[in-house]
Amino acid sequence: MFSRVKEFFLFVGVLMLAWPSFVFSEKQVLSDSTTECIDCHITATPGIVADWRKSRMANISPAEALTKDKLSRRISADKIPEKLSGVSVGCYECHGLNSDSHKDTYEHNGFTIHTVVSPLDCATCHAAEVKEYGENIMSQAYGNLMNNPVHKMLVDEINGTPTFDGTHIGLKPHDKATDAESCLYCHGTIIEVKGTETRDTDLGEMTFPVLSGWPNQGVGRINPDGSKGSCSSCHARHQFSIKLARQPYTCSECHKGPDVPAYKVYSVSKHGNIFSSHGKEWDFNAVPWIIGEHFNSPTCATCHISLVTDADGEIIAERSHRMNDRLAHRLFGIFSTAHPKSPDTTIIKNKLGLPIPTEVTGEPVAEYLIDQEEQGRREDKMKRTCLACHSKTWVDNQFIRMHKVIAETNDKTLTATKILASAWEKGAAKGLSFKQGLKIEDSIFDETIEKMWVEQWLFFANSTRYASAMAGADYGVFANGRWYMNKNIQEMADLLESKLNTMK
Amino acid sequence: MFSRVKEFFLFVGVLMLAWPSFVFSEKQVLSDSTTECIDCHITATPGIVADWRKSRMANISPAEALTKDKLSRRISADKIPEKLSGVSVGCYECHGLNSDSHKDTYEHNGFTIHTVVSPLDCATCHAAEVKEYGENIMSQAYGNLMNNPVHKMLVDEINGTPTFDGTHIGLKPHDKATDAESCLYCHGTIIEVKGTETRDTDLGEMTFPVLSGWPNQGVGRINPDGSKGSCSSCHARHQFSIKLARQPYTCSECHKGPDVPAYKVYSVSKHGNIFSSHGKEWDFNAVPWIIGEHFNSPTCATCHISLVTDADGEIIAERSHRMNDRLAHRLFGIFSTAHPKSPDTTIIKNKLGLPIPTEVTGEPVAEYLIDQEEQGRREDKMKRTCLACHSKTWVDNQFIRMHKVIAETNDKTLTATKILASAWEKGAAKGLSFKQGLKIEDSIFDETIEKMWVEQWLFFANSTRYASAMAGADYGVFANGRWYMNKNIQEMADLLESKLNTMK
Amino acid sequence: MFSRVKEFFLFVGVLMLAWPSFVFSEKQVLSDSTTECIDCHITATPGIVADWRKSRMANISPAEALTKDKLSRRISADKIPEKLSGVSVGCYECHGLNSDSHKDTYEHNGFTIHTVVSPLDCATCHAAEVKEYGENIMSQAYGNLMNNPVHKMLVDEINGTPTFDGTHIGLKPHDKATDAESCLYCHGTIIEVKGTETRDTDLGEMTFPVLSGWPNQGVGRINPDGSKGSCSSCHARHQFSIKLARQPYTCSECHKGPDVPAYKVYSVSKHGNIFSSHGKEWDFNAVPWIIGEHFNSPTCATCHISLVTDADGEIIAERSHRMNDRLAHRLFGIFSTAHPKSPDTTIIKNKLGLPIPTEVTGEPVAEYLIDQEEQGRREDKMKRTCLACHSKTWVDNQFIRMHKVIAETNDKTLTATKILASAWEKGAAKGLSFKQGLKIEDSIFDETIEKMWVEQWLFFANSTRYASAMAGADYGVFANGRWYMNKNIQEMADLLESKLNTMK
């Protein structure tokens, strides 16, 4: 008899485990076009199809999504085009949208489709998010790097190949493909159609567009339809998962290196520790995201993007894909300043005429930066999330410390800058000329003392500021922080002295 | 019919998922005071309240906790004060305890409470743990850093801001707030009451204490009641979770940097790998913690703190919050030695009169350190846990290797020290004077060669020792270990030679 | 009434949670010998016994394993010896196998057993895997390091202890125990029987073999039966878990340092991000491993080892423990080349007579390397897995980028090599002599400029190549990649210039 009971409950267990897929498959109403896509692609690219099957988009139609109450709704368009409204969002619903504006559009087995789904395609249902993202500094990541002559000079010194002729170091220039495999992996490439190619496939001869800058999922990618960004940077691949975007691993793809070690700092913070230890129990799919109920410690998304409420539906933080909404300061930079007004930072002009938000002395170029009032507004927005778990004293004191750390790290960068300027002035290195007004007369990133200066702000000062902003302070001491700032300054001074000795 | 069956089991499933919260809420018997706290704070700080609701403390009264058998019991006090005994441990039960001894006590909506709950408050129920922790070297982390003139000199060189006058590097001193945001994040601040402030709140005007050194959860925090430490360093926030404290992420908050890379070593060890791959299946809440049943590989807590038994209740390791109980050696240090006798290491005096457990030559200052017999006792205690899964040969050989690594790394530090001493003697650097007896005549941490010497022991030798002690040997080769020790020595010798050449 | 319902379902819940262990224990049919082992060892080493109990091997007999269809089968031998066939694979079934060929065999309580279970023991059931692994370059990891005079010279410079006599740096040689605790932790030790020792145990006096090089689980371990490798490198300890071997943490034990940072690159790749965010939902135990169903993003095992199919059982990748099967290139090396033909790389001879696959100029020693055709075959095998989720254009472009990165990093290493060669030629360092034909006249790894050259290829070029191969490109910029390659070249040139100045 006991064995019968066992069998019964085993049956119950198996049934319950199997449940979600039953439920899902019943909800998948596929368009005829998508059904045809899948007919071949379930064999051609089974991984994509299976991935998509697990997605929310495969299992709910836009029409049904629109019936949710405002707080729970995941789409922001008021109206969805009729032909898309009643079916699951499948292959053709995205790859077949707005064909005329996509330069990568091509004929494929009787369908007119394009390879690169762009934010403008996603805007069909997610209009507000795409608009916000366009005002987010990340959407300009390509231009802010490549169209800024100072940043571009740094790119050249990193991606070029040094040569040695027996005495001197030269630099063999690099090409776009190298950029795509380094800086532009995160910043985004320009995807261009370079013609077509015809290939034999399992289904006979087929013609496809030839794309340069592809693959790429960088945040400032410039798409064949002219739009900027890639929603799949964070909502990756064909699950488009909010669960993925809300976990810090997503952000770590581009925010883990020594230049922007946000993830590393988070992972040694109390917040990160609680996420790592308890996060497996949390609900990363819920909308709205209820603090304390769905999660007990913030991830990157909590503070920077997500709609967060309390259990009564009181909004603690509004959803925004304009991530600078709560950022009073830009921690990243030669010197850290207030956040720039425009997401396009190439419009900034300092006294040297360069798109850098400070002068050589660290003084901010105020007209391009948000003012104190706006800084206060943004900081208050950020603090609202903190205050859901911490007292006002706690939160205010943490921000006071961060302001202090910004000032101190800027001060240390200024000392390093003075040493470098002295090297330039005394002819121990060649970069900025001080003779007839300041002018860049040679790369400011190629000599050893210049590279040390770069590490001072790009690695050590940035790391220390991130460590304070996200309360993972240990990272800002030895890991890549204060210890190295002060050591580096001493070594720069030693190197200058030694160069000057040799010149005597 | 099938659809009916589905509905029934769906109901079962939902019910079962929902179960824990039913059970919990029935067990929450709140005091009137705590009920009043929550009435406001569920709106004011919903995150804290929700966090606490999930805690064990919210869901079991001390009286019930006392009924558990000895091995399963989580509180160590024999008797609990009557008024606390029958209710859940809520807001007021902790923040309202021992008001007279807390300098941060204030009136708040008719209640007398304090902000900073201290180990002495926790001792009401967890007496043994608090006593043990007081004998743990971590409880002295503030004084061992800040009241040791050598360590304090290092803090000053890290946290001060270097200046450059065109020729020389100076040092602008730093203040306490900088310490709080760097070294003292882990070591603990002194929390002092600096007055009161009155603020407008959603509930009208209120007065709060102004605290310096707050927020902080460092292990050696000096609290407004004079006690040392912060239980929330490891049992963080309002879940006070044993699950959190037993996972290595908690320890990583302060033990991940290059000075004490315990977490990094663990994560490349076989133990760490098994935890990362299988840990999601383990029970981190069980007391006692049964080896093989609740977990299959040790975390930091297993070897250093937790009560571990086999399935028959045989004790393999006793719980102890005096974490040095199983530590024969102190791996950390200029030279690694036997563990100090007293958790307060400032009482040590070497021949230079400094609180460093060795002479300049690496010879231990034996009278302040545990003797060989005690080292053996502690090592045997540690080995008992190893022996639950490994043979005696395996374990003994691993410890033999570790002893060898301690000797070798000390030897390499000695070589680096000889180079530095030579620099000091020959005037290539200024630190220890050898003229009329050894004497510190200038900071031993400000010049480049001195900083290289610091990295030799603080980063490279420490890392190599940790890599051996926790069997994550790969970390001790290239990551931050032997490669850098030998390279650094060569570079120190080169720098000395170059400085001496210049002096000619 | 409701409370009754609750009780009932609580009972169901508990029952279902408890189920697996019921099922398992019924399937455990232990041999008499293993039963005797466990009788003592459940007390002596409870952790091992409990670990094993959770293993598949404890819960299925080889005879039953053989009944599975070919795709699902986990053992590859056609026939299993009769006495092993019908029982669970327990203590004695492995530790009692092939006693005659094991030099570590000894008498233990009436049983003839050996400590170190070797691949030849595992081959009893897993014949194909052991054969393949023997042709895998990892199985030769001991000899490829220690029997290659160039690699051995590097080991000596890392593991020896530098000395300082007031002027010069010398090197105190190290011994085998140091190798075991550093390089050989991953590469594998030689385990030798050095006699026997008699110890008092809880069960009276017992005699055990004394083993040198033990413990060790390195991939190229040389076992007392002469076989090479250790299956427990990846299928660790007594669960022998496929779930463990398939997660990247396992590989990270030896592939995380700056020399081979595969895990670090993976963890910042899109693949790694999806694994970290969604992997908790995946089935790491399933055989075959169905792409999209059991997992949605590759781990190390997916691309390099596992049997991967689609939902219809179509094979996407064959299982192979000869991991070089899909590797066209060897990314690791002074210069990266095509993969060597033989797993034993000590047979290679370049013009200097050294077992290095390139000349000093970077030119490959082609006769020892796979040709272009075989490279194409291997790359096609690798691409099949990519193509399950990505288009051909996507995949081809990614490989084109990787080929370019290999060329570029080799080019940068060549520049560094030219600087070093110049130093050797001009007497600024002593290593290769150019006088009467190229010849090593002094360690090429002891001087600072030589160590800088090592970091150029071992850390920075390798890291950049890994970053491209696994599409975690951000790692190849600042983390340990292009930035450091170019900076290091500049610093090497500076050091050479300064050395030459001093020599004037």
Side-chain angles (χ1 to χ4, degrees), chain C residues 116-421:
Chain C
V116 184
V117 175
S118 81
L120 288 178
D121 298 332
C122 302
T124 309
C125 297
H126 304 281
E129 287 68 33
V130 170
K131 181 174 179 302
E132 286 160 6
Y133 189 78
E135 293 155 10
N136 179 7
I137 197 168
M138 290 162 75
S139 69
Q140 304 293 324
Y142 177 86
N144 285 351
L145 183 72
M146 302 298 274
N147 301 331
N148 176 323
V150 180
H151 295 170
K152 182 63 169 59
M153 189 184 280
L154 181 57
V155 170
D156 291 343
E157 288 295 340
I158 293 170
N159 286 343
T161 296
T163 56
F164 182 65
D165 65 2
T167 323
H168 296 101
I169 297 296
L171 190 73
K172 198 161 73 180
H174 68 287
D175 62 20
K176 284 181 187 176
T178 303
D179 286 339
E181 196 59 2
S182 60
C183 310
L184 303 185
Y185 175 87
C186 287
H187 282 259
T189 56
I190 302 180
I191 301 178
E192 290 178 307
V193 181
K194 296 294 189 185
T196 58
E197 63 169 352
T198 302
R199 287 201 307 259
D200 277 333
T201 75
D202 289 347
L203 301 165
E205 208 170 65
M206 285 187 174
T207 299
F208 302 92
V210 174
L211 301 174
S212 70
W214 183 249
N216 183 266
Q217 295 164 101
V219 295
R221 191 179 73 190
I222 299 184
N223 301 302
D225 67 351
S227 65
K228 290 175 183 167
S230 161
C231 300
S232 70
S233 299
C234 305
H235 301 278
R237 304 298 298 152
H238 290 83
Q239 277 193 56
F240 322 103
S241 150
I242 198 171
K243 179 173 179 177
L244 187 96
R246 281 175 172 176
Q247 290 186 67
Y249 312 111
T250 292
C251 312
S252 88
E253 268 188 69
C254 294
H255 294 268
K256 195 176 188 181
D259 48 331
V260 280
Y263 175 81
K264 288 197 168 178
V265 167
Y266 179 76
S267 73
V268 295
S269 73
K270 190 72 78 196
H271 292 154
N273 167 19
I274 296 175
F275 162 76
S276 297
S277 300
H278 280 287
K280 293 155 207 81
E281 310 151 15
W282 299 349
D283 185 343
F284 284 97
N285 282 316
V287 174
W289 213 14
I290 302 179
I291 210 164
E293 185 169 319
H294 296 136
F295 64 99
N296 289 91
S297 170
T299 66
C300 314
T302 315
C303 298
H304 295 289
I305 307 166
S306 297
L307 170 64
V308 176
T309 72
D310 68 14
D312 294 329
E314 278 296 313
I315 292 177
I316 292 164
E318 299 274 5
R319 181 190 296 121
S320 174
H321 283 66
R322 186 174 46 235
M323 295 164 202
N324 14 291
D325 267 9
R326 300 180 219 166
L327 294 179
H329 301 91
R330 190 150 197 230
L331 298 180
F332 180 92
I334 300 178
F335 296 97
S336 175
T337 62
H339 213 277
K341 285 179 189 165
S342 163
D344 176 0
T345 59
T346 62
I347 63 168
I348 298 174
K349 295 273 169 279
N350 69 6
K351 285 182 191 158
L352 283 167
L354 295 172
I356 298 293
T358 65
E359 308 302 339
V360 180
T361 54
E363 197 196 339
V365 188
E367 62 180 297
Y368 296 99
L369 308 175
I370 60 170
D371 60 20
Q372 280 216 318
E373 206 180 326
E374 174 65 11
Q375 288 175 50
R377 259 194 305 270
R378 293 190 182 187
E379 212 155 272
D380 282 346
K381 266 194 211 166
M382 177 65 91
K383 284 179 177 177
R384 279 213 59 194
T385 306
C386 311
L387 289 166
C389 292
H390 299 285
S391 74
K392 192 162 178 349
T393 312
W394 177 298
V395 175
D396 285 348
N397 283 358
Q398 186 61 44
F399 275 83
I400 289 169
R401 284 185 193 162
M402 185 187 78
H403 294 162
K404 194 175 151 66
V405 168
I406 291 175
E408 279 177 352
T409 52
N410 279 346
D411 220 11
K412 292 188 182 193
T413 296
L414 185 60
T415 299
T417 308
K418 282 180 185 166
I419 299 171
L420 179 59

Side-chain angles (χ1 to χ4, degrees), chain B residues 452 455-456 460 484-492:
Chain B
M452 293 167 85
E455 293 188 353
Q456 183 75 16
F460 312 139
Y484 288 106
M485 280 197 285
N486 288 14
K487 183 178 178 229
N488 194 44
I489 285 172
Q490 188 60 50
E491 288 177 327
M492 285 179 74

